[in-house]
Structures are given as structure tokens and as C-alpha cells.
Amino acid sequence: MTVPAWLEVLDETLAACRAHGRADLAERLRRRRDADPGRTRLAVLGFPKQGKGYLLNAVLNAPVCAVGDAATPSVPTEIGYAPEPGATLVGQARERIPVAVERLTGELGARPAGTLRRVEVGVPRELLSAGLVLIDTPAVGDPRSPRTAAALDVLADAPAVMLVSDATAPLTAAELALARHVRTWCPHVVLALTKIDVCPGWRAVAERDRAALAEAGIDAPVLPVSAVVRQAAAKAGDVELNAQSGFPALLAWIAEQGARGAEQSMALLAAVGVRAAAAELVDTLRTRAEAAGQDAGIDQTTLLNRAQRRGDELRKQNLKWQNLLADEIADLSADAEYDLRERTRKIVQHIDRTFDEGDPAKVWPDFAAWLDETLAEAVETNYGWMAARAEWIAQAVAAVFGTRYERELPELRLDDSGVSTIGEVGPPRIERFKIGQKAFTGLRGSYGGVLMFGLVTSLAGMPLINPVSIGAGAAFAAKTIHDEGGMRLQRRQAAAKAAAQRHVDDVFLRFSKESRDAIRLVQRRLRDHFTELAEELSEELTAERETIIAGSAERERRSAALRREIDRLAALHKRAGELGLLAGRMPRELPA
């Protein structure tokens, strides 16, 4: 079977990306190589509060995306065709959790961050029946944000992108930068200008956006639309109102993306990806070649002095990350213990209030269930906070290495707090005041009353046992029984407090020890990971010194090899451009 020309070029460029340490570019090209030819993916990108969710809901005439103040997912939502509406949450371990579409927003709001890989939604829409998949991406914002990374990651296998910006103001510099990046990697881009129903000057904004895109060399049509007018037209069945919404043009563009042939789409997507990857590699190698050419004209002593300065910087960097790791781990250990102590202190306060007012004999079963549940929640929350803080520490230490850090952070394995092993609180010894004990206590108390008042009344000539002495004895008996019952209640309350507080202390001691052990394990993993990285950088510096000592001949050889590689990549870029011209419209040529 003959291999397509675009696949040969793609494989050669992919190998070059791997050879030059650009795993990110290699992964993008690999995903384009392995893309499903039966599905056309159309990504929808935009900054926050631009009406992206309203736009997609209006395109599909279905409330599948969160809008307004509803919790929006931090992972992409893939919307494809299905005979019946349905949604699936795909976890990090690729587990699939089906949910009803009307409950999707609530389910996403209840899910902790970082637990989902993507959301899949199926709706019965003819627009999607040919294999078109609309991808609602998280809002683009801070370049370091996981949401932005998740949104831009969709570009790896999306041949078409819909950028969303509202008509309240022209495109910002950040939006133009996003459009330029998207157009570099995707062959088909459109700008949907939303909210024209509330912006009287939207026509001027649209013209300014077209001019800005053209000036930046970005080939993307601008289509003004109103989701509100579109939904009103759909509800009323008003064709003229629908035309005023601007959606017919946008739907036509979307349908055009889904109607392209599989081979043509894959060839064009591969060609654009090869050109973008080759351009980035060429820029990187040109920088290296220029540095190598400059080094070739510098004497060996100067190069050695420069290497020495880099060695000094590396030693300072090592000291900085080691101190940062030690300080942050110490702070984390202290803060985690304080947080758990504070949570258990509040539980103990509630215990005191409960048994200051209640009888353990009556409330203990309900109280024990509450205590077990609250302790488990406190430990789980403390452990989750500690795990998030540990991840932040890993990122902070990695930031010390700056652009030299090009690997994944180590797996910290803080995913099991162990709350399932917490034992139930044992019941205290509850002494009940039985009928016989009450009778004996009352008899003992009545004796003093009968004797005292009997002696007093005997002075008046009455017998020792008379109605007055008997009444006094009854009163004394009732008081004695009441006092004894109160003292027994206090003893039960004290015993219940002691039992509950012992259980809380046991849980605190155990999990504070386990937290310290987990934090020490995090410290060891990060220390080993970054020590290995520092040693690699040191070895690279040593190798650089050896290369300098080896003489200018070696530098010239490397410079020549870089120039040859640049020429080879430039040839790949040109071949991809020729293949792209056969498949469809291409971005501008690589600068000479």
C-alpha cells in the first residue's frame, strides 16, 4: 500500500521534533497522525465572559453548555451526535460516568478540580450527524493556568477553530496573540463576534476586528452573531429573525468544516502542523547556530570564563531550590498539623457543648455517628489541602529552574487519606439510676427528715412518727433522689466527654503522624527528583567545558550540523506548503 506523501513528511518532522527534545511538538504531530478520519473536530476558544456558552447553545438549540454564573468545566466538553441526549464524565483514569444532560452543570460544579479529563455530550442534531464534534474549551486566561493549557491542547487535533469575542470592544492584544497562535496550527479559523443585540456599534467593531486580523496576517472571517436573537427566532419559528441573528452564515461555515473529505482534511491538518512545528524548530536551531557561530570567533579563555559564570549561577540556583524546598516543607508540616489541630479543637468544643446540655444515655447513638462523620471529613479536608499545597511546592521549586525545567513533575502519590480506617468511637460506661437505687436513696434521705421533725414535734407532745415528720421525710427523700440523679448525670456527661475527647486525640495523633510521614515522603521525592535534574545540568555544563577545551573545530562541526538540520527542516516546511496547497488554503510562508 502506498504511503501518502503528507504522512511521510509528517513522520520525518515528528522524528526531528523528538531528536531535538521537543516532546510537546512531537505529541501534537503524533495526535494529528493518529486522528480519527471519520470525525471532524471543531474547537471553540475564547476569553472569559465573551458569550461562548450562549453561542454553542444557540448553534445546537440545546442547553448543553454552562452559561452565566454557572460553574464552567475546567476541561474540554466534546459535543457529538447521539440519537438521545446524554452526557459522560471521563475521569483521569479514563473511567466513564454517565449523567443526564440536565444535571450536567450541577455534576461539574460538585466535582473537585483535576478529577476529570473531559466531558462528552451527545445530542440528536443533524449538524453533527456526519461526524462533526464541537469542543467547548475552558476559558483562556493566565498562560500558566491549567484551564488555558487544557484549552490550547485541543488545537493538536482540531482542523477548525471558532474564536469567540464580544462586540463590546475590538480585539485586544491578548486576543490577537491567541488568534495568531491558533492560525499557525489550524487551517480553518473564524471569529464569531457575539452580543451584537446589545452593542449598537457592533458594525464598527466588526470592521476594526477585520482590519486588525488582516494587519496581523491572520486569515479568518469575522461573523457577527446574536445568541439571544437566534434562540428567540428558534422559539418563534421566525426565519427572518433567525437571519438577523447572523447564525445562518456561521452554521454554513460550520457545516463546511464537517463536509470536507477525510483524506483532504488529514493532509491539510498534517501540512499545517508540519509547517508550524518546523518553523519553531528552525527558530530554535537558528538561535543555536548563531550562538555557535559567535562562539567560533571567541577565544577559548573567554568561553571558559563564560562557562565558569554559568557554573556559579548553577550553584546559586541549587542552593536556592534546596533552601526553598526545606523552608516550604517545614511550613507545610507545621501548617498541616495546625490545620488538623484547629479542626479537631472545634470538634472538641462541640463535644463539650453537647454533653453540657444533653444526657449521654439518650443522645450517644446520634452523637457517635456525627462524631465519626465529622472526624472523617476533617481528616479528608486536611489531607486534600496538604496534597494541593505539596503540588504547589513542587511547581514553585520547578520555577527556580526557569526555562531549563522541561520535564513532568514527580508523582507525589497523595491520593489516599486513609479515613476509611478510622475506628468508631467506643461508648462510655453509662451508669443508669435504677428504680431500686432510687428507692434506697429516697429511704436514706427520708430517715433524716423523719427523725429531725419527729424530735421537734415530740416536744409538743406528738409521737415521733406523725404526719409532719412523715411529710418532711417525703420531702427529704425527693430532694435526695433529685440530687443523686443530678450527680449521676454529671458523671455520665464527664465520662462521655472523656471518651469522645480520647477518640478525637487518638485520631489527631495518628493522622498528624501520617501527615508528617507523607510530607517527608514528598520531600524525599522532590529532593531526589530535583537533585537528579541539578546533576544533569551540572553534567551538561561539564560537557560544555570539555567541548570548549576540545577546540573550535568541534564548535565549527556542530555549527555546520545545525545549518544542515536547518536546511533540512526548511525543506520539510516547503514540502508541507506544497502539499497544503493541494489540500486547501495555507498560512503564510516561513521567513527565509
Side-chain angles (χ1 to χ4, degrees):
M1 182 178 178
T2 304
V3 177
W6 64 265
L7 186 56
E8 292 182 358
V9 175
L10 181 64
D11 286 342
E12 190 173 347
T13 309
L14 194 153
C17 292
R18 290 171 175 163
H20 293 293
R22 291 300 302 271
D24 56 333
L25 298 179
E27 175 61 17
R28 284 195 175 189
L29 294 182
R30 183 199 65 76
R31 287 170 60 178
R32 296 202 167 187
R33 188 186 193 282
D34 300 339
D36 183 359
R39 304 180 75 192
T40 301
R41 297 164 64 84
L42 193 158
V44 184
L45 276 76
F47 283 78
K49 305 299 181 182
Q50 301 297 303
K52 181 161 59 67
Y54 287 104
L55 177 70
L56 270 172
N57 289 343
V59 166
L60 297 170
N61 276 329
V64 296
C65 299
V67 296
D69 296 329
T72 56
S74 58
V75 294
T77 299
E78 299 183 359
I79 308 166
Y81 179 81
E84 297 293 335
T88 302
L89 307 181
V90 182
Q92 291 294 346
R94 301 188 186 278
E95 68 275 17
R96 301 177 66 84
I97 306 166
V99 297
V101 173
E102 58 271 12
R103 295 177 52 199
L104 180 59
T105 301
E107 289 288 339
L108 291 175
R111 292 276 168 179
T115 60
L116 294 180
R117 181 183 294 268
R118 67 179 181 274
V119 179
E120 297 177 358
V121 177
V123 290
R125 293 294 183 270
E126 184 180 354
L127 180 68
L128 309 176
S129 60
L132 180 66
V133 178
L134 301 179
I135 307 174
D136 181 19
T137 62
V140 177
D142 185 348
R144 297 167 294 182
S145 168
R147 288 174 175 262
T148 300
L152 296 181
D153 182 64
V154 174
L155 300 179
D157 45 17
V161 173
M162 185 193 307
L163 293 174
V164 181
S165 178
D166 65 35
T168 58
L171 291 172
T172 64
E175 288 177 314
L176 283 172
L178 174 64
R180 189 178 296 107
H181 176 75
V182 169
R183 190 63 184 84
T184 300
W185 282 94
C186 298
H188 306 290
V189 181
V190 68
L191 175 65
L193 189 66
T194 61
K195 304 182 183 179
I196 63 173
D197 55 295
V198 294
C199 300
W202 64 266
R203 291 179 178 83
V205 172
E207 288 303 318
R208 292 180 64 180
D209 286 351
R210 291 187 182 98
L213 291 172
E215 184 178 353
I218 303 168
D219 182 14
V222 177
L223 301 180
V225 293
S226 168
V228 173
V229 176
R230 159 75 169 176
Q231 290 174 340
K235 186 177 296 185
D238 191 330
V239 176
E240 183 178 349
L241 187 60
N242 185 54
Q244 294 176 8
S245 71
F247 270 81
L250 181 61
L251 292 173
W253 185 88
I254 294 173
E256 180 183 349
Q257 311 314 310
R260 288 191 174 86
E263 183 66 23
Q264 178 192 20
S265 294
M266 293 191 70
L268 184 55
L269 191 62
V272 172
V274 166
R275 286 167 64 84
E280 289 197 31
L281 285 178
V282 166
D283 288 341
T284 302
L285 294 181
R286 278 177 175 168
T287 301
R288 294 180 186 175
E290 290 172 0
Q294 292 172 358
D295 287 346
I298 303 176
D299 61 90
Q300 192 178 70
T301 302
T302 303
L303 292 176
L304 286 173
N305 289 337
R306 182 183 296 174
Q308 181 63 40
R309 287 194 297 272
R310 284 198 291 271
D312 294 339
E313 294 173 357
L314 184 58
R315 282 189 290 274
K316 293 179 182 178
Q317 178 179 278
N318 288 339
L319 181 62
K320 183 177 180 180
W321 77 257
Q322 289 169 0
N323 290 339
L324 177 62
L325 177 60
D327 292 344
E328 291 296 339
I329 288 295
D331 290 345
L332 174 58
S333 182
D335 292 346
E337 183 172 357
Y338 175 81
D339 179 75
L340 185 58
R341 171 59 74 185
E342 180 65 16
R343 295 179 188 278
T344 55
R345 185 182 67 83
K346 292 180 179 178
I347 294 174
V348 169
Q349 290 176 348
H350 186 81
I351 291 171
D352 291 339
R353 289 194 300 269
T354 299
F355 293 117
D356 283 343
E357 302 171 358
D359 186 351
K362 299 177 181 178
V363 304
W364 182 264
D366 293 337
F367 168 78
W370 171 87
L371 181 59
D372 291 339
E373 180 181 350
T374 306
L375 278 175
E377 181 181 354
V379 171
E380 185 73 31
T381 304
N382 175 264
Y383 200 84
W385 172 84
M386 184 183 69
R389 176 81 172 270
E391 291 288 347
W392 179 87
I393 291 174
Q395 295 173 3
V397 176
V400 173
F401 290 86
T403 57
R404 297 185 180 185
Y405 190 84
E406 297 179 350
R407 61 176 66 185
E408 292 184 359
L409 290 171
E411 177 62 46
L412 301 181
R413 298 179 185 174
L414 294 174
D415 53 1
D416 183 12
S417 62
V419 294
S420 59
T421 61
I422 297 179
E424 296 181 354
V425 57
R429 183 175 178 274
I430 298 177
E431 181 183 0
R432 298 183 179 274
F433 199 11
K434 300 180 180 178
I435 297 297
Q437 293 171 328
K438 290 181 180 180
F440 179 78
T441 300
L443 183 62
R444 185 181 59 194
S446 67
Y447 173 77
V450 170
L451 182 61
M452 182 186 305
F453 281 85
L455 290 174
V456 172
T457 55
S458 66
L459 297 177
M462 298 176 65
L464 183 66
I465 304 299
N466 59 71
V468 175
S469 63
I470 292 174
F476 273 61
K479 186 177 186 308
T480 304
I481 292 172
H482 178 271
D483 292 344
E484 180 67 18
M487 288 187 291
R488 287 174 179 262
L489 172 61
Q490 290 177 354
R491 287 198 294 272
R492 290 197 298 273
Q493 290 173 332
K497 287 181 183 179
Q501 290 171 2
R502 279 196 304 272
H503 183 65
V504 172
D505 288 341
D506 290 343
V507 171
F508 172 78
L509 289 174
R510 173 192 163 187
F511 283 96
S512 62
K513 173 64 168 60
E514 292 186 1
S515 294
R516 288 194 295 272
D517 292 343
I519 291 171
R520 282 195 292 271
L521 180 60
V522 167
Q523 183 179 19
R524 294 189 188 102
R525 290 184 183 278
L526 293 179
R527 180 197 61 200
D528 295 344
H529 175 79
F530 289 108
T531 297
E532 180 183 352
L533 175 60
E535 289 174 352
E536 290 179 5
L537 294 175
S538 180
E539 290 173 0
E540 290 178 5
L541 186 59
T542 301
E544 183 180 349
R545 290 196 186 100
E546 293 173 354
T547 301
I548 294 172
I549 295 172
S552 59
E554 175 63 19
R555 292 195 298 274
E556 181 59 33
R557 186 193 68 79
R558 288 191 293 110
S559 180
L562 287 173
R563 288 193 294 271
R564 288 195 299 272
E565 183 66 7
I566 289 172
D567 293 340
R568 186 173 76 88
L569 290 171
L572 284 174
H573 186 278
K574 183 178 180 181
R575 287 175 58 193
E578 294 170 352
L579 292 172
L581 289 175
L582 297 176
R585 192 169 46 188
M586 296 294 300
R588 55 192 176 88
E589 292 291 330
L590 175 72

